RNA sequence: GCCGCCCUAGUCCAACGGCAGAGACGACCGCCUUAAGAGCGGUUCAGUGCGGGUUCGAAUCCCGCGGGCGGCACCA
């Protein structure tokens, strides 16, 4: 069908703007996307895609995340599932508050405005969102359940307050969770973070460290499982004790994975922030030690851990005893020992650890070989030996292999009550306090008499006050709101002060998937019976950038709520699929880089359907892509062709068997590709079918067009609906069953058999599909080209790959 | 430094261990058009980053190297 023919037939042009708004209205009016909790004859399927932060407008990244997910959900719906595809907004967070300081606009206002704009953009996209179920995390109806969860966690010891060295971002003026520090810098603003000793609220995620390492029954990408496993960082070793001279009550505990090197411990190093430092430092060393500790505290993490930084440290003046070698060894402090890992102290074994080696060399500390690769001692070492070996210079343990030595020494310390085998994790408890306004108030009151008092459940929510100033100076605006801060103690009725810290917004997103199911409930965060219809989530999709943060917290909160009797399953989402990142000229799109691409101009020019299809056509969804809008012409032209094809007059002709095969093959291909999230090849298959149909005529073509529209519906919902209707199909195409293919028809009838001689292509034979090995071989051997190629050589063997190839190997 | 993913026409990408091409962009040539653009039809284009290995046969599996991206990193 060419333009000329179309004109002769007077087919009107495809104008996306003329149909897309109309269908958005109709779908809304007919409540097409409202998903009931049960639909007789249809199994429930919970398809969750990550909700966005209401940053202003939907950008290309949002489209890339949502449009393919929507297509996959629509496909499942046509396959007969009752598919829930909800959406909401991760509406608390720093950017809105920072914008408020800059633009003098209240975050609540800007957030509401942004959400309104983004909702209408989702509508323009044609996503099958059931908006009745929307959640907005900055509304008290939502965040009261954050507070409720906090209080339940508190009751169970899963939430606690502690003084700890925490990450502080000097620009955002708040503490951060470990997970929000990327290479020593604030995840958001990339400012180097510093350590501060503060009293803060934590969630006890470490209690679940071992369970979080198990992914039993989960269909999650290997990549994410590996990242989470590395993040949790389970390490088996031993905790061993060094008694401190003159301080019988203050023995130093160290963590090591190499207990077999214990005899080589010639010094002890504490982290500068270690609590014993102050106690054990001798008066003559105090000034120097204090100065070093002070300096370490004020040094950004990024400098402390920077590669090539020379090791520094100072001697405390105190001595410990190596209980195995009996030696008196000096206690140092050095910032290469991290207070946040293990026990914050190590036994320095310079002969067998590169860091200890460098430190010992610099400060002239003794180096003793205690592990030998060959069982011999070697006197002075040139380099540290960090490999496995046999214990030497280790008294009664001499000759013991390292692995056995590790076990024995750990056990021996255990028997003496001085430690024993232990496991340590890199994962720290989740720091949830934030010194910022735009978040969920932590429901705690501080009373002079009663101390730390949780706000009673019946007084929830603790509402975030609206009237605050945003100066950007002097910390959390909440502190200055007297009506909020000044309160009475729920226990004694006396004067009290409210907690002014708010919660990390990752608390909000750790359980939002439950709230969609019962978003108006004011008695519980979710009625269990409603949850049972949908949970756990069948399919979750979202950006790979959340591999650790959100996805780890979400798993933890699920397990914690399970242990509180609120949930009945171990994992929140059974199957996870991450789309890759969409970048612009190889760089992440971000406001600060000013390279954010807006989808709106493309929607205007090409229509939402073309943009949807283009997002899916860019390349493998899981790998991400570089944004290059040039290709959108391709999907746009395709839809124009479909339009003409579907509206052209049927042409007479005979049934076309080959075309019928192609149709059935395409049904199979598109379905399989959608199930595997291979949107790009699915789109290509649709294009191929359209090409074939446009060249055909007769009844098979007509049947093919009908099928094509059904297959197209998940990808381009508006045009599919329009053409379906114009061709007399019943409303709505999105409620039609997915076409069924005939497996026999989906296969080719005739195939091209490739004949090779010694691996080189010699002939191609068109033969019936399904030949036996002997038949294929016989066919190949009758080929003149093949005979000529074999010549006088002897046939050594013949390899036959059914319906594909015959390879004749000569000797 | 360690771990993972990726490298195929000018570009984006396809190819159960079996003919390197499904699809698209671009370019070029036509058609259409007063013209440009758009539209339509067609043509063009790589031996798969490099070097080995396994195999009858390797883009595909294995090893090494190079380049890109991501994660972790003084973690004891």
């Amino acid at each position: 069908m060419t333009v000329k023919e179309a004109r002769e037939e007077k087919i009107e042009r495809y104008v996306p703007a003329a149909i897309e708004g109309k269908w958005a209205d109709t779908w809304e009016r007919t409540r097409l996307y409202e998903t009931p909790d049960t639909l007789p004859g249809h199994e429930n399927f919970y398809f969750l895609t990550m909700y966005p932060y209401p940053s202003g407008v939907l950008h290309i990244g949002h489209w890339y995340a949502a449009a393919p997910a929507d297509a996959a959900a629509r496909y499942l719906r046509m396959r007969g599932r009752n598919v829930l595809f909800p959406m909401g907004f991760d509406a608390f967070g720093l950017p809105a508050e920072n914008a408020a300081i800059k633009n003098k606009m209240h975050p609540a206002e800007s957030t509401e405005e942004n959400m309104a704009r983004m909702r209408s953009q989702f509508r323009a996209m044609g996503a099958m969102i059931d908006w009745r179920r929307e959640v907005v995390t900055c509304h008290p109806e939502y965040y009261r359940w954050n507070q409720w969860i906090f209080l339940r966690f508190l009751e169970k010891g899963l939430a606690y307050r502690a003084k700890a060295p925490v990450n502080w971002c000097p620009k955002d003026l708040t503490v951060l969770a470990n997970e929000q520090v990327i290479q020593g810098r604030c995840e958001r603003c990339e400012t180097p973070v510093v350590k501060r000793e503060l009293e803060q609220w934590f969630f006890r995620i470490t209690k679940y460290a071992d369970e979080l390492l198990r992914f039993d029954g989960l269909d999650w990408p290997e990549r994410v499982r590996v990242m989470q496993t590395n993040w949790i960082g389970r390490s088996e070793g031993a905790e061993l004790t060094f008694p401190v001279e003159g301080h019988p009550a203050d023995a130093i505990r160290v963590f090591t994975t190499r207990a077999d090197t214990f005899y080589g411990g010639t010094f002890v190093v504490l982290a500068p922030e270690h609590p014993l430092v102050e106690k054990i430092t001798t008066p003559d060393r105090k000034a120097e030690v204090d100065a070093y500790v002070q300096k370490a505290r004020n040094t950004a993490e990024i400098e402390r851990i920077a590669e090539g930084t020379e090791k520094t440290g100072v001697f405390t003046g105190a001595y410990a005893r190596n209980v195995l070698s009996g030696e008196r060894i000096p206690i140092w402090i050095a910032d290469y020992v991290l207070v946040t890992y293990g026990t914050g102290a190590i036994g320095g074994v310079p002969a067998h650890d590169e860091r200890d080696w460098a430190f010992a060399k610099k400060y002239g500390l003794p180096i003793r070989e205690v592990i030998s690769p060959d069982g011999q001692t070697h006197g002075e070492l040139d380099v540290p030996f960090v490999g496995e070996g046999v214990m030497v210079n280790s008294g009664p343990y001499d000759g013991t292999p390292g692995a056995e030595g590790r076990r024995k020494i750990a056990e021996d310390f255990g028997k003496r009550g001085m430690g024993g085998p232990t496991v340590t994790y890199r994962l720290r408890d989740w720091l949830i306090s934030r010194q910022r306004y735009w978040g969920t108030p932590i429901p705690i009151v501080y009373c002079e008499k009663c101390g730390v008092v949780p706000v009673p459940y019946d007084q929830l929510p603790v509402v975030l006050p609206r009237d605050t100033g945003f100066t950007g100076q002097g910390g959390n605006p909440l502190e200055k709101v007297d009506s909020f801060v000044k309160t009475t103690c729920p226990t004694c009725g006396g004067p009290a002060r409210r907690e002014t810290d708010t919660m990390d917004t990752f608390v909000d997103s750790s359980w939002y998937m439950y709230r969609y199911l019962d978003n108006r409930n004011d008695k519980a965060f979710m009625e269990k019976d409603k949850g049972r219809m949908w949970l756990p989530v069948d399919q979750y999709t979202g950006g790979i950038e959340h591999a650790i943060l959100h996805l780890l917290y979400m798993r933890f909160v699920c397990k914690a709520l399970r242990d509180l009797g609120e949930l009945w399953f171990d994992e929140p989402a059974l199957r996870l699929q991450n789309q890759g990142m969409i970048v612009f000229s190889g760089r992440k799109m971000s406001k600060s880089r000013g390279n954010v691409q807006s989808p709106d101009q493309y929607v205007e020019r090409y229509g939402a359907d073309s943009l949807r299809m283009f997002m899916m056509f860019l390349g493998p969804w899981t790998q991400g892509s570089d944004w290059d809008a040039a290709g959108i012409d391709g999907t746009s032209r395709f839809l124009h062709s479909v339009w003409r094809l579907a509206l052209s007059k049927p042409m007479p002709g005979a049934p076309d068997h080959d075309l019928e095969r192609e149709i059935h093959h395409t049904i199979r291909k598109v379905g399989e590709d959608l199930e595997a999230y291979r949107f790009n090849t699915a789109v290509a298959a649709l294009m191929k079918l359209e090409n074939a149909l446009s060249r055909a005529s007769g009844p098979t073509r007509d049947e093919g067009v009908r099928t094509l529209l059904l297959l197209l519906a998940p990808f381009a919902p508006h045009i599919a609906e329009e053409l379906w209707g114009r061709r007399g199909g019943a409303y709505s195409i999105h409620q039609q069953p997915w076409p069924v293919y005939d497996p026999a028809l989906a296969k080719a009838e005739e195939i091209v058999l490739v004949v090779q001689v010694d691996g080189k292509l010699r002939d191609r034979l068109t033969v019936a599909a399904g030949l036996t090995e002997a038949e294929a071989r016989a066919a190949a051997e009758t080929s003149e080209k093949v005979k000529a190629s074999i010549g006088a050589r002897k046939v050594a063997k013949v390899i036959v790959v059914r319906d594909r190839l015959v390879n004749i190997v000569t000797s």
Side-chain angles (χ1 to χ4, degrees):
Chain A
M1 172 72 26
T2 64
V3 162
K4 194 175 163 193
E5 286 163 337
R7 199 170 296 137
E8 277 159 16
E9 264 194 49
K10 299 208 165 37
I11 295 175
E12 67 176 89
R13 280 192 45 181
Y14 166 47
V15 182
I19 63 164
E20 291 185 347
K22 178 184 80 181
W23 286 116
D25 290 344
T26 306
W27 293 333
E28 219 163 71
R29 202 178 59 244
T30 58
R31 306 162 138 208
L32 188 65
Y33 300 132
E34 291 186 6
T35 309
D37 279 330
T38 56
L39 188 60
H42 298 263
E43 209 179 313
N44 281 358
F45 190 99
Y46 192 171
F47 196 118
L48 181 68
T49 193
M50 291 177 190
Y51 64 175
Y53 176 78
S55 53
V57 291
L58 290 189
H59 53 70
I60 290 291
H62 291 123
W63 271 73
Y64 191 65
D70 179 59
R74 285 173 175 277
Y75 164 73
L76 289 165
R77 178 173 173 172
M78 290 177 80
R79 287 292 302 269
R81 307 295 180 78
N82 182 37
V83 178
L84 177 61
F85 188 72
M87 191 51 69
F89 292 97
D90 187 17
F92 270 140
L94 255 183
E97 188 173 342
N98 287 340
I101 295 165
K102 216 167 141 191
N103 306 330
K104 309 271 176 255
M105 188 172 183
H106 196 279
E109 266 173 54
S110 59
T111 299
E112 292 297 337
E113 267 183 25
N114 292 346
M115 289 190 296
R117 202 172 315 138
M118 290 166 82
R119 274 184 211 107
S120 78
Q121 287 176 304
F122 272 121
R123 186 174 180 273
M125 184 191 294
M128 61 166 216
I129 295 163
D130 181 353
W131 284 108
R132 294 174 312 163
R133 297 172 176 274
E134 180 188 41
V135 302
V136 175
T137 59
C138 67
H139 291 169
E141 297 77 30
Y142 184 86
Y143 68 69
R144 70 174 287 183
W145 301 106
N146 279 345
Q147 295 170 342
W148 182 89
I149 288 170
F150 175 93
L151 293 175
R152 293 293 313 273
F153 278 18
L154 191 63
E155 277 174 20
K156 286 278 176 178
L158 290 172
Y160 66 93
R161 188 171 153 84
K163 192 166 189 183
V166 296
N167 306 297
W168 173 264
C169 173
K171 178 147 180 277
D172 286 339
L173 302 175
T174 182
V175 297
L176 300 167
N178 275 6
E179 288 79 6
Q180 286 160 326
V181 180
I182 311 291
Q183 316 224 313
R185 290 170 182 275
C186 170
E187 178 210 21
R188 273 184 203 291
C189 65
E190 296 183 10
T191 306
V193 303
V194 295
K195 290 278 179 203
R196 279 207 183 174
E197 189 85 9
L198 292 171
E199 194 149 4
Q200 299 282 298
W201 288 98
F202 293 87
F203 280 173
R204 207 179 294 278
I205 189 171
T206 54
K207 185 181 169 193
Y208 292 89
D210 276 319
E211 200 188 336
L212 289 167
L213 284 168
R214 291 199 303 271
F215 295 87
D216 307 342
L218 289 193
D219 182 6
W220 279 34
E222 170 80 12
R223 183 155 58 139
V224 174
R225 300 202 311 260
V226 166
M227 281 165 76
Q228 293 203 352
T229 302
N230 290 343
W231 184 259
I232 294 167
R234 187 179 199 272
S235 179
E236 285 185 27
E239 213 171 278
L240 306 174
T241 304
F242 287 90
V244 180
E245 211 176 72
H247 295 267
D250 295 317
I252 294 168
R253 296 177 307 119
V254 303
F255 174 76
T256 178
T257 55
R258 291 297 301 270
D260 53 327
T261 65
F262 197 86
Y263 278 85
T266 52
F267 55 97
V268 167
V269 188
L270 304 181
E273 302 89 341
H274 195 286
L276 283 183
V277 171
E278 212 174 327
K279 268 190 165 174
I280 63 172
T281 299
T282 55
D284 59 314
R285 309 291 311 163
K286 191 167 178 1
E288 205 181 330
V289 166
D290 281 353
Y292 187 84
V293 169
Q294 209 45 49
K295 191 170 149 259
R297 282 216 166 109
N298 292 332
T299 307
E301 183 96 331
I302 191 163
E303 282 173 49
R304 273 177 65 167
I305 66 175
E307 219 164 331
T309 303
E310 199 173 331
K311 290 190 175 30
T312 59
V314 292
F315 177 44
T316 61
Y319 286 88
R321 194 163 53 83
N322 181 322
V323 293
L324 292 186
S325 69
E327 270 183 311
R328 179 173 187 259
I329 60 176
I331 302 171
W332 285 64
I333 62 171
D335 66 2
Y336 79 93
V337 174
L338 308 175
V339 71
T340 49
Y341 185 77
T343 58
I346 62 158
V349 187
H352 305 291
D353 182 284
E354 280 167 10
R355 296 152 299 184
D356 296 343
W357 172 277
F359 193 72
K361 281 279 175 191
K362 178 165 177 185
Y363 293 105
L365 297 160
I367 296 171
R368 177 173 312 116
E369 179 189 34
V370 292
I371 296 290
S372 163
D374 54 10
Q376 309 295 309
T377 53
H378 304 86
E380 207 159 303
L381 298 176
D382 298 326
V383 284
F385 174 69
V386 297
E388 287 289 330
V390 174
M391 295 171 72
V392 294
N393 293 326
S394 298
Y397 296 91
D398 278 353
T400 311
E404 194 187 332
R406 284 197 278 281
R407 207 186 63 242
K408 276 191 173 164
I409 287 183
E411 280 170 10
D412 290 351
F413 271 82
K415 279 178 203 152
R416 299 201 207 181
M418 295 179 72
T422 185
V423 175
T424 213
Y425 301 86
R426 219 179 65 93
L427 179 72
R428 302 284 93 199
D429 276 335
W430 176 12
L431 167 53
I432 62 146
S433 307
R434 294 293 179 272
Q435 289 70 46
R436 297 297 301 232
Y437 165 75
W438 192 231
T440 304
I442 293 174
I444 289 289
V445 161
Y446 299 99
C447 169
E448 279 168 33
K449 263 200 284 182
C450 313
V452 179
V453 183
V455 174
Y457 288 98
D458 60 11
Q459 290 176 27
L460 297 185
V462 176
V463 176
L464 187 67
R466 182 66 196 259
D467 299 325
T468 51
F470 296 98
T471 59
Q473 287 147 31
N476 188 344
L478 270 184
E479 287 168 6
K480 299 189 189 99
V481 184
D482 277 356
S483 58
F484 179 80
V485 177
K486 287 184 184 159
T487 186
T488 51
C489 172
T491 306
C492 70
R497 185 177 61 79
R498 272 193 203 282
E499 170 69 85
T500 54
D501 284 354
T502 53
M503 290 185 208
D504 182 3
T505 55
F506 281 101
V507 174
D508 313 0
S509 55
S510 65
W511 66 277
Y512 75 112
M513 63 289 300
Y514 313 128
R515 188 64 179 171
Y516 281 136
L517 306 178
D518 198 8
N519 62 341
R520 294 176 199 200
N521 192 334
D522 60 1
K523 302 281 183 292
F525 73 89
M526 175 189 75
E527 195 182 297
K528 278 187 191 169
D529 286 344
K530 293 214 171 177
R532 284 208 171 81
M533 295 176 195
W534 295 103
L535 294 170
V537 171
D538 294 290
Q539 173 72 61
Y540 196 23
T541 71
I544 186 67
E545 65 274 20
H546 290 108
I548 295 171
L549 284 155
H550 161 59
L551 291 173
L552 195 64
Y553 296 145
M554 173 182 92
R555 292 180 65 215
F556 154 64
V557 168
C558 174
K559 291 169 195 301
L561 287 174
R562 173 201 62 197
D563 291 347
L564 290 171
E566 299 296 332
L567 297 176
W568 52 94
F569 44 88
D570 301 322
E571 290 285 347
L574 302 176
R575 193 172 174 214
L576 174 73
Q577 192 65 239
N578 296 107
Q579 79 271 7
M581 262 185 267
I582 190 110
V583 296
F584 189 68
S585 327
R587 323 202 72 202
K588 261 188 209 177
M589 286 190 201
S590 69
K591 269 193 180 167
S592 55
R593 287 202 183 86
N595 64 350
V596 177
Q597 300 293 303
S598 164
D600 293 1
Q601 53 175 310
Y602 301 107
V603 174
E604 265 169 52
R605 181 146 170 224
Y606 296 94
D609 285 340
S610 288
L611 184 57
R612 285 173 64 104
M613 291 204 82
F614 181 52
M615 305 260 60
M616 298 184 230
F617 192 53
L618 277 171
W621 194 49
T622 51
Q623 273 172 37
S625 222
D626 205 275
W627 173 250
D628 175 10
I632 194 170
D633 282 324
T635 50
S636 174
R637 278 176 206 152
F638 165 70
L639 291 180
H640 276 96
S641 302
V642 171
W643 180 270
R644 284 192 303 275
L645 172 71
L647 296 183
S648 61
K649 276 197 292 250
M651 281 177 282
D656 182 337
H657 202 52
D658 287 343
L659 184 59
E660 194 179 8
R661 292 186 173 285
E662 174 118 34
I663 294 165
H664 281 254
H665 177 76
T666 308
I667 297 171
R668 183 170 77 174
K669 171 79 178 153
V670 173
E672 284 174 359
D673 281 353
L674 280 177
E675 271 165 43
Y677 298 91
R678 290 188 299 254
F679 301 100
N680 54 330
T681 50
V683 172
L686 292 173
M687 289 173 165
K688 193 183 177 195
L689 179 60
E690 192 278 331
N691 285 340
L693 291 170
S694 67
R695 286 181 183 86
S697 60
T700 318
R701 166 185 165 133
D702 207 49
E703 180 204 316
V705 170
R706 186 190 132 90
T707 303
L708 177 65
L709 292 180
L710 289 167
L711 299 185
L712 183 64
F715 299 85
H718 307 90
I719 190 174
E721 185 83 279
E722 176 74 17
L723 293 173
W724 180 258
R726 289 195 187 207
R727 288 172 55 90
Y731 180 81
S732 158
I733 190 172
H734 303 296
Q735 289 168 309
Q736 303 304 314
W738 188 251
V740 177
Y741 67 88
D742 177 343
L745 275 175
K747 272 195 224 149
E749 197 164 54
E750 287 189 323
I751 53 99
V752 175
L753 190 67
V754 172
V755 186
Q756 297 178 335
V757 176
D758 293 327
K760 292 199 182 76
L761 177 71
R762 293 303 178 205
D763 203 0
R764 297 164 191 203
L765 308 171
T766 304
V767 298
L771 289 192
T772 65
E773 205 165 301
E775 285 167 340
R777 178 174 176 168
E781 282 173 343
T782 57
S783 158
E784 290 303 324
K785 287 181 194 166
V786 171
K787 280 186 198 163
S789 165
I790 297 171
R793 282 170 293 168
K794 238 181 99 188
V795 174
K797 90 188 197 192
V798 177
I799 286 131
V800 179
V801 182
R802 195 183 159 88
D803 284 352
R804 280 204 181 255
L805 150 150
V806 176
N807 187 11
I808 297 167
V809 184
T810 65
S811 49

